[in-house]
Amino acid sequence: MKNNETNSGETPYEPTPENPHEPGLEQPIRQSPRKQKMVLENLKSVGQMTTAAPVESKIHTMIIVGQIEGHLILPPKNKTTKYEHIIPQLVAIEQNPNIKGLLVILNTVGGDVEAGLAIAEMLESLSKATVSLVLGGGHSIGVPIAIATDYSFIAETATMTIHPLRLNGLVIGVPQTYEYLDKMQDRVIKFVTSHSKISEERFRELMFRTGDLVRDIGTVLVGKDAVSSGLIDEVGGINQALKKLNELIELKSPPLGKETQQ
Amino acid sequence: MLYTIIPFEAIFDPDLESGPLQSSGDEVEIKQGSVSLLTQPLPGGQFKINRIISTDPQDYLRPEWQPGSTMSFF
């Protein structure tokens, strides 16, 4: 063991005699001597490397794909993200002091209104740093989820469809049904306009625009359009999203010891 | 109430329910600590992993949990 320890101190400084063919490019990836020593000390105290639980990530991620499933279980052919999976995860993230930030990745076609709004509200009220990234698509009820985080990104090619709510399976005939639909729609509009830079007039205009979609009313926002409309904060990918998340973590966490830096 | 771009006929199409891609009507969720694994039972008491549900990105890199791999409890 003693032998190992002295070795670990030396290797980062003299990598060539042991590994003469190693390309120079890989050098920056090497761990610092201090970190290597820490790993080694861990190894010593645990005795075995494989059985040790992997280090818990500071940043956790939540992937919202397919249909957001809420009150109604969808037929198995649909790819879904279930409300009962997401909500307990968010509670666990809020409670775990080791988790500093959450990256939400969206590629969703929409889904249950109340499940979507519940996830959005949970994200909005989470005390940890949160960043969302819309990849592929963040349509319909995916919109409030995307904007519920502290900062939002959209990939250049990703799209967001904004359209009115529709009733299906219910017989429209009583005025109460219209009222109910209107109320549900207002919940979505209110959440979106109060948590993003888009104004209510502009959002309603996008929602009821005709001629943009071939068979429907509404608007498709592609990457930059989502940013220019004020819905999303920035166009970017995983790199920018993680950078921003780390920035937000720094801002949210009080400067303690060196432990938080690690 | 659904708010989605997928037409309702497509979501609830009875012809699609037993498609070739996913015969996952009998999907079983297995808890492994804080992680949920969506699996498909195979004959012989084995389970094929279809999907991992976790918020820790490192969980997705664990070789024994790669989608398609099998696990058993015997």
Side-chain angles (χ1 to χ4, degrees), chain B residues 7-61:
Chain B
F8 291 80
E9 310 85 66
I11 297 172
F12 296 103
D13 190 350
D15 297 339
L16 287 172
E17 281 202 30
S18 53
L21 259 172
Q22 252 189 327
S23 53
S24 61
D26 48 357
E27 209 167 53
V28 176
E29 192 175 329
I30 298 172
K31 276 266 182 194
Q32 296 279 295
S34 60
V35 179
S36 269
L37 300 168
L38 295 187
T39 64
Q40 195 183 333
L42 298 174
Q46 288 204 309
F47 295 88
K48 191 178 115 210
I49 297 170
N50 284 340
R51 187 164 154 191
I52 311 160
I53 296 171
S54 169
T55 57
D56 189 340
Q58 300 306 319
D59 287 337
Y60 292 83
L61 298 176

Side-chain angles (χ1 to χ4, degrees), chain A residues 97-113:
Chain A
N98 298 325
I99 301 169
K100 305 290 180 202
L102 174 67
L103 176 68
V104 183
I105 294 177
L106 290 119
N107 194 354
T108 177
V109 289
D112 189 273
V113 175

